[in-house]
């Protein structure tokens, strides 16, 4: 996606506008998305759909229905676990949301942030990630503009610490 952004200024501008200020001064950072990850997540449902079509042509309606129901269920699970995937920076916390997974990270618990390419599981749809170091543990996120996100996050952490 980085190469596509470099070659398409309109895409870069549009994605930059997505990190906007909301009325309560929160800033929303959408997740970067790796194409290969979406292929992996949706390969099984797509394969089952195609195979179900083949079975339908063969007149095997029970198996066709089973394939299509499982494909729909897998797609629904993927959607529930991945959409929306965004990170909202407020005056006192970073709210991490990836599908049904929601985590609130108080700014007072954030000790640092660094670029990462970890394969560990986390609320991120890309391996181009940011590792947020917390009092206890860490959290991996994948905002589109990682460096700007780190700058904004650490500025908010410093500002929050100065106002305590």
């Amino acid at each position: 996606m980085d190469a596509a952004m470099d070659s398409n200024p309109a895409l870069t501008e549009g994605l930059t506008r997505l990190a906007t200020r909301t009325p309560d001064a929160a800033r929303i950072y959408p997740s970067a998305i790796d194409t290969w990850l979406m292929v992996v997540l949706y390969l099984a449902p797509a394969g089952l759909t195609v195979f179900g079509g083949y079975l339908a042509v063969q007149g095997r309606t029970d198996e066709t229905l089973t394939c299509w129901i499982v494909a729909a269920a897998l797609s629904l699970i993927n959607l529930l676990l991945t959409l929306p995937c965004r990170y909202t920076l407020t005056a006192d916390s970073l709210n991490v949301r990836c599908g049904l997974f929601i985590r609130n990270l108080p700014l007072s618990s954030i000790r640092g942030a660094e670029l990462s390419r970890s394969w560990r599981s986390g609320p991120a749809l890309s391996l181009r990630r940011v590792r947020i170091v917390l009092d206890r543990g860490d959290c991996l996120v994948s905002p589109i503009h990682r460096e700007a996100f780190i700058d904004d996050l650490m500025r908010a952490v410093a500002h929050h610490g100065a106002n305590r």
Side-chain angles (χ1 to χ4, degrees), residues 1-84:
M1 183 161 176
D2 288 337
M5 284 176 48
D6 292 339
S7 65
N8 189 341
L11 176 63
T12 302
E13 181 182 339
L15 292 174
T16 301
R17 268 190 265 127
L18 286 175
T20 58
R21 294 210 176 267
T22 59
D24 62 354
R27 190 159 173 114
I28 300 171
Y29 301 85
S31 177
I33 300 172
D34 284 346
T35 304
W36 70 267
L37 180 59
M38 292 299 107
V39 169
V40 169
L41 286 175
Y42 289 98
L43 190 59
L48 283 168
T49 301
V50 170
F51 187 60
Y54 168 77
L55 292 173
V57 170
Q58 301 297 317
R60 299 169 63 181
T61 55
D62 288 345
E63 291 94 341
T64 298
L65 188 58
T66 300
C67 283
W68 288 346
I69 288 172
V70 171
L74 287 174
S75 295
L76 180 62
I77 290 168
N78 285 341
L79 290 171
L80 289 174
L81 295 177
T82 61
L83 295 178

Side-chain angles (χ1 to χ4, degrees), residues 82-145:
T82 61
L83 295 178
C85 191
R86 64 177 180 241
Y87 318 106
T88 305
L89 183 58
T90 67
D92 61 351
S93 67
L94 175 66
N95 300 307
V96 177
R97 175 155 190 196
C98 195
L100 297 175
F101 174 82
I102 299 171
R103 184 172 180 190
N104 183 41
L105 306 174
L107 293 181
S108 60
S109 71
I110 296 174
R111 297 293 162 244
E114 59 192 24
L115 297 177
S116 173
R117 283 194 156 286
S118 174
W119 280 77
R120 286 188 16 231
S121 178
L125 300 177
S126 172
L127 287 183
R128 292 179 310 275
R129 298 176 171 187
V130 172
R131 177 177 172 254
I132 301 171
V133 181
L134 305 167
D135 285 337
R136 295 184 181 168
D138 61 8
C139 181
L140 292 170
V141 297
S142 60
I144 293 172
H145 301 290

